[in-house]
Amino acid sequence: MSKKSRATADPLAKPALAVIEAGRLLLWTGFYGSRYVLGAARRDHDQKAAARLLRDYLLRMGPLYVKAGQVLGTQTGLLTKDATDEFRDFFSGLEPMDRADLEQTLRLNLRAPVTELFAEFDWRPVAVGSVAQVHKAVLRTGETVAIKVVKRGVPEQLKASAAVLGVLLGTAHRLVPAVRKLDGPALFSELRPFLTGQCDMRAEAGRQQAVAENFTAHPFLRVPRVYEQYSTERVLVMEFMEGISGEQVDRIADEHRPELARRLQDVFDTMAYFHGLFHVDPHPGNVMFREGGEIVMIDFGLVGELGEDDKWALAAFYFACTRQEWDQAVDRFTKAFIAERGTLDQHWAEYAKELSGILAHHFREQTERWSTMSFFDDASTLLNRYGARPTTRFTLLSLAFLTGEGFVTVIDPEIDIWANARRFNDKYSPYMNAELQAEFEEVIGTMSPRSMAVKNDTTRALIAPTHLDRYVMPSQFPMIIDEAKGSKVRDIDGNEYIDLSCGYGPHILGYAPEVAVEAIQRAAAKGSVNAMGNRDELRLAEIIAQAFDPLTNVVLCNSGTEAVQVALRIARARTGRDRVAKFEGHYHGFSDQGTVSSWFVFSGSKYQPEPINSAGAQRAVTDGTVLLQYGHPSAFDTIAAHAHELAAVIIEPMPGATLTYDAQFLAQLRETCTRHGIVLVFDEVVTGFRVHFGGAQHLAGVRPDLTALGKIIGGGLPCGAVVGTPELMESGRTTGDPFRDVDERAFVGGTMSGNSITTAAGHAVLQYLGDHREIYPELDAKTQRLLRDMGAAADELGIACKLKGSHSMFNIAFDYASPKLVRDKIAGTNIKASLALCYYMRKYGVYFPELHGLFLNAAHTTDDLDHIADAFAKCIGEMEQHGLFLA
């Protein structure tokens, strides 16, 4: 499009349109304002009459103003039913274009004439909104479709209305001090693109497809499929879906309405708290109900987005509120939702006290009649007094909840909004509801009084962030183990459990395998040798090297964390570069580098993630890390952009969060790193010698430059190793010249590295695995059998449960979707149900690690697998009865 044609199409380049719009605004505001004043003076105006006047005024003013009427049409809590009824036809019953305008619009915007594209086309609209109207048609291929057509002149009118409102707000901001506190121009400028962008059907198609992808396989929400090949900037072609419009909810039997209302709220909350992509305009005209309780959502002209930081902040805020920690909640609310702080800092004590009162009122006293919008309204009023302005995201979320919660209360006036929202609001909470908490305290407390006494001992010296004091998700019922043998563990209370943690991976032969115990005893009897060479150190390195490539070299260390640190140090020494690229959600040990964006908390957009870390991690390390997404082509663009400064790219080739590998992606990653001279590091600390005698790289057929190992190679004792090509591994060997060593070589030594007891155990276990490689297919078969049995139990009960795994590793997620990204997997999972499952299983003598991957080992028997599957079926049945699965 030429500059001239663009200017002609832009109403802001046509001052006449803005002038006309300004004149209309003055004329009709004066006219209807006078009628209202006269009616009020005669005292013959009830709320319904006032609503009728407002309805006529909004219709006169056009699509930007009709949106306000659509919101009012859901607010039975604010207006009388007669008053809200005045706005009901705003949802889909407005005046359509005339036939001539429709034909011209289609002629200008379809890729071919109507008669060529469609076997049938109904010229009568099935629904008419403020921006567009919808027609039913049949494609030449036989599919029935809905054609959404932007009304002629609406894009220009929207922009002109927005321009005039912008000028009016700017004028009021300059002239009226009271208005200035609201900072209307700034807020409107942020909202303006959302309001005027509703006419771009290509953009709407993208939003609709994104929402549809988020709800793939959802048990009750449906989003019409988009036909991109037929859609254009002003016409959207999508799957036609029948159903009862939300405007006709009275047609639904009373006994079904509470469940539909709860499901609809579940959809809204899922969008906001889990997906971060939410429908800003969920009025009755944009929702349909189908047989079996299905809900269809349409019209994605207005969609808001919450980033990972926003979702985390929202969860953190609600978590503080549910614990009634008001000072913490005030701080989190202000940091998360305030764009302009106004005078808050100057009057912080007063502001904090007032906001604490509002929070206590809504989160402690009003939970039975909860209204998110009521809370937002009270908070916004307070902010206005201090000249503070909320973020656009907060405003859009407020609008979404105002409309959505208004609609669900129309469907079911008795709905308990807070009870339904609670599982979303505190999704990161490690606590269950009071009833379940009490039950487990009774059952597990009775079973394990000694373990619980250790956990609750405020004087104990030990702080154990892995189990007793677990980071982020503190364990409610930790176990203290007295003995572990084979597939079972026994706690200090004498309870025996079939174990599915395997120490988070090391115990592939089970606990205390004879080969390891004997090797450890022999080595200990000879004396624990470290910081000097020993025979088993040489033997362990040799068997590791042979498993990968006879020409590789091995450096031994004390853990997987150390192995990663050694590998990255070697890469930096070799390349002379400093920065490292890693993949979001991949955990590489507890070093500052390894924990960057590794689990639970993420930042930035999906395909341009930003590094984030826990307290105490060096900011320079965190900020200097380049983040990538596994399996997505954006990773290669990011690597290319930073190639000149990247020493290494580190990746879990088979991530523990997803337990799948993408061979094609890994091959392209290998080629990209080679081309740019970047060291490729595979973190196989978990997968090494577990999925294959070697690692996942053998399954994928892709070899890195360096491999970090740990867990299994220590035979149950702490151990780590780096395996790599001689050219690279030379960086860990002395040159014989101390001055060159300092300049060119990486120091990778450790006092206990390669100690004789650990290496004896590691060599014994790897030797056994090498001699009995049938263990690997047997473990895979056991894994598949257990997953089939557990999956059948979930299917029988109709519970959304994803069981994924292979090669002795698996995980369980109570989710309907199969997300590809770790951030989406974490966001969508029913964390409370996953946590509770571990405690339910405890009752039946099975230990599931809380919120961690599960492992099988060679000691698990057929009886063990049958017992696990049977216990799982019983537990999910009990969990369903206790309301842990909503559908």
Side-chain angles (χ1 to χ4, degrees):
M1 185 182 287
S2 68
K3 290 183 180 179
K4 180 177 179 181
S5 60
R6 280 200 301 269
T8 303
D10 187 351
L12 299 181
K14 289 184 175 181
L17 283 177
V19 172
I20 292 170
E21 185 65 19
R24 291 179 64 251
L25 181 63
L26 290 173
L27 172 64
W28 294 117
T29 301
F31 176 74
Y32 284 99
S34 299
R35 289 186 59 185
Y36 177 79
V37 170
L38 290 173
R42 295 195 305 269
R43 298 189 178 182
D44 61 358
H45 257 336
D46 56 15
Q47 198 174 83
K48 180 178 180 180
R52 188 180 299 118
L53 270 180
L54 180 57
R55 173 191 183 280
D56 292 344
Y57 169 71
L58 296 175
L59 281 173
R60 286 278 190 187
M61 292 310 303
L64 194 65
Y65 301 83
V66 168
K67 287 295 176 188
Q70 290 173 340
V71 173
L72 290 173
T74 65
Q75 300 308 302
T76 53
L78 300 176
L79 306 175
T80 64
K81 185 178 185 302
D82 286 343
T84 58
D85 284 346
E86 291 295 326
F87 302 100
R88 292 302 171 85
D89 61 356
F90 277 26
F91 301 133
S92 64
L94 300 176
E95 284 295 316
M97 290 184 280
D98 61 41
R99 175 71 176 263
D101 285 342
L102 175 60
E103 289 180 352
Q104 182 179 1
T105 300
L106 293 174
R107 185 167 59 252
L108 293 174
N109 290 284
L110 283 177
R111 302 182 188 278
V114 171
T115 53
E116 289 185 19
L117 291 178
F118 307 107
E120 300 176 25
F121 188 94
D122 189 346
W123 293 94
R124 295 168 302 175
V126 295
V128 183
S130 58
V131 170
Q133 58 192 57
V134 181
H135 294 261
K136 186 177 181 180
V138 179
L139 295 173
R140 290 289 177 185
T141 52
E143 298 104 313
T144 302
V145 294
I147 316 295
K148 183 175 180 179
V149 185
V150 176
K151 292 180 181 179
R152 186 181 179 191
V154 165
E156 292 75 19
Q157 189 174 5
L158 271 176
K159 290 181 179 179
S161 297
V164 171
L165 282 177
V167 171
L168 291 176
L169 285 170
T171 303
H173 181 79
R174 288 190 298 272
L175 300 179
V176 184
V179 175
R180 193 175 302 133
K181 291 182 180 181
L182 303 177
D183 201 7
L187 180 59
F188 185 71
S189 68
E190 293 178 356
L191 293 176
R192 188 167 173 171
F194 290 91
L195 299 172
T196 58
Q198 300 173 73
C199 300
D200 186 342
M201 292 296 101
R202 283 199 187 97
E204 180 170 334
R207 293 189 290 267
Q208 184 165 327
Q209 288 171 312
V211 173
E213 184 177 350
N214 285 340
F215 283 95
T216 300
H218 192 272
F220 55 78
L221 183 74
R222 303 291 174 261
V223 177
R225 179 167 67 94
V226 171
Y227 288 81
E228 283 188 279
Q229 65 272 36
Y230 298 105
S231 301
T232 65
E233 188 176 358
R234 292 290 178 262
V235 178
L236 175 59
V237 181
M238 72 192 95
E239 175 186 8
F240 185 88
M241 303 188 81
E242 299 276 7
I244 298 174
S245 170
E247 302 164 83
Q248 301 172 313
V249 71
D250 291 340
R251 291 174 50 190
I252 298 172
D254 289 345
E255 62 267 25
H256 298 312
R257 288 172 65 170
E259 179 65 7
L260 281 179
R262 186 194 61 75
R263 286 187 169 193
L264 188 58
Q265 186 194 341
D266 182 275
V267 168
F268 299 154
D269 290 342
T270 298
M271 285 182 169
Y273 298 119
F274 279 4
H275 300 155
L277 199 66
F278 59 94
H279 202 305
V280 177
D281 201 19
H283 63 63
N286 290 336
V287 177
M288 293 188 295
F289 302 105
R290 291 154 58 98
E291 288 187 11
E294 285 190 344
I295 297 171
V296 178
M297 188 161 282
I298 57 176
D299 192 348
F300 297 90
L302 286 173
V303 172
E305 186 168 3
L306 296 176
E308 290 300 315
D309 300 305
D310 300 318
K311 290 190 290 181
W312 179 264
L314 198 63
F317 164 66
Y318 276 118
F319 182 61
C321 291
T322 57
R323 290 160 64 93
Q324 298 187 19
E325 296 172 348
W326 308 125
D327 289 344
Q328 188 77 265
V330 167
D331 185 59
R332 290 174 177 177
F333 175 88
T334 308
K335 287 180 179 178
F337 304 130
I338 307 305
E340 299 292 339
R341 296 176 72 94
T343 61
L344 293 184
D345 296 320
Q346 295 92 307
H347 303 90
W348 180 262
E350 180 184 352
Y351 158 75
K353 181 179 180 180
E354 291 184 81
L355 183 54
S356 294
I358 291 172
L359 295 174
H361 172 71
H362 287 280
F363 286 91
R364 185 173 62 198
E365 301 163 16
Q366 292 293 315
T367 54
E368 292 184 3
R369 301 303 304 168
W370 172 263
S371 166
T372 304
M373 190 54 220
S374 180
F375 160 65
F376 282 169
D377 185 55
D378 287 350
S380 296
T381 300
L382 176 64
L383 294 176
N384 289 340
R385 291 215 311 271
Y386 291 94
R389 179 171 62 83
T391 62
T392 304
R393 297 180 299 280
F394 179 84
T395 303
L396 289 174
L397 196 61
S398 301
L399 179 59
F401 279 121
L402 172 64
T403 306
E405 289 185 358
F407 183 23
V408 298
T409 55
V410 168
I411 301 171
D412 176 22
E414 300 303 316
I415 187 171
D416 189 337
I417 288 173
W418 172 249
N420 295 335
R422 177 69 183 269
R423 72 188 185 97
F424 294 91
N425 294 341
D426 61 357
K427 67 174 181 174
Y428 287 102
S429 164
Y431 305 105
M432 294 159 282
N433 63 51
E435 293 79 12
L436 276 178
Q437 185 82 10
E439 178 178 335
F440 285 128
E441 285 177 353
E442 173 65 25
V443 173
I444 298 178
T446 301
M447 290 173 58
S448 309
R450 292 180 179 177
S451 291
M452 292 304 295
V454 172
K455 184 245 183 181
N456 295 323
D457 181 5
T458 58
T459 65
R460 63 175 158 89
L462 176 67
I463 294 177
T466 306
H467 46 93
L468 286 172
D469 307 285
R470 193 177 56 233
Y471 182 71
V472 174
M473 292 287 179
S475 175
Q476 298 300 290
F477 307 104
M479 296 196 308
I480 309 297
I481 301 302
D482 184 54
E483 182 181 3
K485 179 68 177 176
S487 65
K488 298 179 176 66
V489 296
R490 181 177 290 108
D491 66 16
I492 58 177
D493 293 285
N495 302 302
E496 186 173 81
Y497 303 92
I498 300 172
D499 171 66
L500 287 169
S501 73
C502 295
Y504 291 170
H507 306 294
I508 192 170
L509 298 180
Y511 290 98
E514 186 175 331
V515 293
V517 171
E518 291 179 353
I520 292 169
Q521 289 173 338
R522 286 195 302 269
K526 289 183 176 182
S528 176
V529 176
N530 64 283
M532 293 183 288
N534 65 83
R535 185 173 297 167
D536 283 309
E537 179 182 31
L538 296 169
R539 297 168 69 194
L540 178 59
E542 186 67 27
I543 199 169
I544 290 173
Q546 289 291 331
F548 286 85
D549 189 318
L551 298 179
T552 58
N553 292 139
V554 179
V555 169
L556 295 175
C557 52
N558 297 294
S559 68
T561 293
E562 284 189 17
V564 168
Q565 290 177 307
V566 167
L568 295 182
R569 184 172 288 183
I570 288 174
R572 291 189 180 101
R574 179 70 177 180
T575 62
R577 304 168 185 167
D578 282 336
R579 298 187 72 180
V580 171
K582 74 177 295 283
F583 288 78
E584 185 179 74
H586 291 204
Y587 177 69
H588 302 296
F590 63 82
S591 70
D592 290 352
Q593 186 80 75
T595 55
V596 175
S597 299
S598 63
W599 61 311
F600 287 118
V601 58
F602 308 106
S603 183
S605 61
K606 281 188 177 183
Y607 302 115
Q608 290 184 320
E610 297 174 3
I612 190 169
N613 217 330
S614 59
Q618 285 188 307
R619 292 181 183 176
V621 172
T622 301
D623 295 343
T625 302
V626 176
L627 279 187
L628 312 169
Q629 286 292 13
Y630 191 117
H632 194 269
S634 63
F636 306 116
D637 295 333
T638 302
I639 291 171
H642 294 276
H644 64 287
E645 55 185 351
L646 285 179
V649 171
I650 186 168
I651 184 173
E652 289 183 75
M654 189 174 177
T658 58
L659 298 180
T660 57
Y661 61 89
D662 185 334
Q664 184 177 355
F665 179 82
L666 292 173
Q668 189 173 352
L669 180 64
R670 168 71 282 175
E671 187 278 328
T672 300
C673 288
T674 300
R675 176 160 29 96
H676 293 293
I678 301 168
V679 177
L680 177 59
V681 182
F682 277 9
D683 179 346
E684 297 229 45
V685 171
V686 175
T687 53
F689 293 97
R690 175 165 283 280
V691 302
H692 184 279
F693 191 76
Q697 57 192 267
H698 295 75
L699 302 178
V702 179
R703 294 300 175 92
D705 299 304
L706 299 173
T707 300
L709 298 170
K711 299 193 185 293
I712 287 173
I713 67 167
L717 300 181
C719 190
V722 176
V723 182
T725 62
E727 293 80 11
L728 276 169
M729 298 296 284
E730 276 293 303
S731 295
R733 191 198 308 270
T734 180
T735 64
D737 178 342
F739 301 97
R740 279 188 63 194
D741 281 2
V742 171
D743 290 339
E744 301 173 11
R745 296 299 194 238
F747 177 70
V748 293
T751 300
M752 298 303 294
S753 297
N755 71 82
S756 62
I757 296 180
T758 294
T759 54
H763 176 262
V765 167
L766 292 193
Q767 183 69 58
Y768 186 89
L769 290 171
D771 293 341
H772 299 82
R773 300 198 187 198
E774 69 277 5
I775 284 175
Y776 291 102
E778 288 172 0
L779 279 172
D780 194 29
K782 287 181 181 179
T783 308
Q784 299 309 320
R785 171 185 169 168
L786 182 58
L787 293 182
R788 281 194 302 271
D789 291 347
M790 295 169 72
D795 290 343
E796 186 175 348
L797 292 173
I799 292 170
C801 180
K802 295 293 182 182
L803 295 130
K804 297 182 65 176
S806 63
H807 303 90
S808 79
M809 305 188 301
F810 66 101
N811 56 40
I812 302 170
F814 293 109
D815 192 5
Y816 52 83
S818 298
K820 297 178 181 177
L821 303 183
V822 177
R823 64 164 62 188
D824 294 333
K825 175 181 172 62
I826 297 294
T829 298
N830 185 341
I831 290 177
K832 282 191 179 299
S834 298
L835 185 65
L837 174 64
C838 302
Y839 303 142
Y840 278 94
M841 294 292 283
R842 197 88 62 86
K843 297 191 300 179
Y844 295 99
V846 179
Y847 175 66
F848 272 15
E850 300 148 300
L851 302 168
H852 197 284
L854 296 99
F855 299 89
L856 291 176
N857 61 52
H860 282 111
T861 66
T862 299
D863 288 344
D864 287 339
L865 300 182
D866 289 341
H867 183 94
I868 294 165
D870 182 60
F872 177 78
K874 292 176 180 175
C875 289
I876 59 175
E878 294 175 21
M879 291 167 69
E880 184 180 41
Q881 293 174 6
H882 292 154
L884 281 162
F885 308 119
L886 295 176

